[in-house]
Amino acid sequence: YQYRDSAQEKILDNYLSEALIPALHKLKFEKTGVFKALANDTSLVKKIYVLIKGSSLDELAAISGKLNAVPGFKEKGAAYTDAVYTHPPYERMEVIYLKAFPLAPGLEIPSLKSPKNERVYELRSYESATEKIFRNKVHMFNEGGEIALFKRLNFNAIFYSEVIAGAKMPNLMYMTSFENMADRDAHWKSFSSDPEWKKLSALPEYQKNVSHIDITFLRPAGYSDY
């Protein structure tokens, strides 16, 4: 969700925490993540990310048609769903469908000890010049061992996935998590200096397979399941 001010943020927070997430729980979507961009305080375009796990595209696509039948959803979500056009609850919304990597088929709850308001979640999007080159980067993450390296260095990854519907294709996205920003910086320093990464990144078959990287720093909402 893209929003502009605290009034819209309040409506979104209330809808997500009081209506959508409880309804998703009742529909057997056990874990839903809600994250806010750290740049929201100074950015003109503020963002909230909602992460929902499904077993298939059909299951995810069917959610919107089932929500109104969940007891309490319409009442709890009325300020959002019945908003008038002069006071919308957000500016725009975007849906991105992700397919989990073979070697990371599920969403993982991070083993973090710090309070949620101190944690840093890092969402990365790696774009490639062509579909073939993109497949090469996906291979590097899976068979090449990049996922295993992140795991060995305790990056507390939530997911690794390829984008199958989104605005920046061909691209992959993944999310790692840290106790705080200093912890994040220390992890990436260890990653860049790790002999295994230096060897992997130097392999000729994996050169020039990323053309653009977007990095978004996030913090979990107090009501987020992740």
Side-chain angles (χ1 to χ4, degrees):
Y1 293 95
Q2 298 179 9
Y3 65 98
R4 66 174 182 269
D5 54 32
S6 60
Q8 287 185 324
E9 182 180 19
K10 183 177 180 180
I11 294 174
L12 286 170
D13 276 333
N14 288 340
Y15 169 68
L16 296 172
S17 63
E18 301 296 328
L20 181 63
I21 292 179
L24 289 173
H25 289 167
K26 292 175 182 177
L27 291 172
K28 306 305 181 183
F29 293 88
E30 296 180 355
K31 301 293 182 183
T32 298
V34 180
F35 311 94
K36 298 185 180 184
L38 267 62
N40 281 353
D41 290 344
T42 57
S43 177
L44 292 177
V45 179
K46 308 174 191 303
K47 295 183 179 181
I48 293 179
Y49 293 78
V50 180
L51 177 63
I52 304 172
K53 174 189 174 183
S55 60
S56 68
L57 282 175
D58 287 343
E59 184 181 44
L60 290 171
I63 291 175
S64 60
K66 296 180 178 180
L67 288 174
N68 283 335
V70 177
F73 173 78
K74 288 193 289 187
E75 295 78 9
K76 295 288 187 179
Y80 172 94
T81 57
D82 297 337
V84 297
Y85 79 96
T86 52
H87 293 87
Y90 53 83
E91 297 300 289
R92 290 289 85 192
M93 62 182 293
E94 177 184 357
V95 176
I96 303 172
Y97 283 106
L98 307 169
K99 181 180 180 181
F101 281 175
L103 296 187
L107 292 176
E108 300 293 335
I109 300 291
S111 55
L112 300 175
K113 298 179 181 179
S114 60
K116 282 187 176 181
N117 62 2
E118 295 180 8
R119 297 177 189 177
V120 172
Y121 288 59
E122 184 168 355
L123 178 65
R124 287 191 169 217
S125 169
Y126 289 0
E127 300 172 29
S128 299
T130 69
E131 292 98 318
K132 182 179 179 179
I133 297 172
F134 164 74
R135 287 293 163 198
N136 177 265
K137 183 59 181 177
V138 173
H139 186 279
M140 186 177 181
F141 263 89
N142 289 275
E143 293 84 352
E146 196 166 348
I147 289 176
L149 176 58
F150 277 117
K151 186 173 183 178
R152 175 168 63 79
L153 296 176
N154 298 316
F155 268 69
N156 276 301
I158 313 300
F159 67 85
Y160 301 92
S161 62
E162 62 176 287
V163 176
I164 59 173
K168 298 183 177 182
M169 298 175 67
N171 69 312
L172 63 86
M173 298 181 77
Y174 69 100
M175 180 186 285
T176 52
S177 61
F178 311 93
E179 303 288 359
N180 48 51
M181 189 61 77
D183 183 45
R184 178 264 177 195
D185 293 343
H187 273 79
W188 277 107
K189 183 177 180 180
S190 67
F191 182 93
S192 62
S193 62
D194 190 273
E196 185 179 343
W197 170 245
K198 289 184 176 181
K199 179 181 178 181
L200 177 63
S201 60
L203 291 175
E205 60 264 37
Y206 291 137
Q207 299 307 302
K208 309 295 183 181
N209 57 10
V210 174
S211 57
H212 180 77
I213 298 175
D214 283 320
I215 300 174
T216 306
F217 294 118
L218 306 165
R219 188 148 285 154
Y223 51 87
S224 176
D225 290 329
Y226 287 94

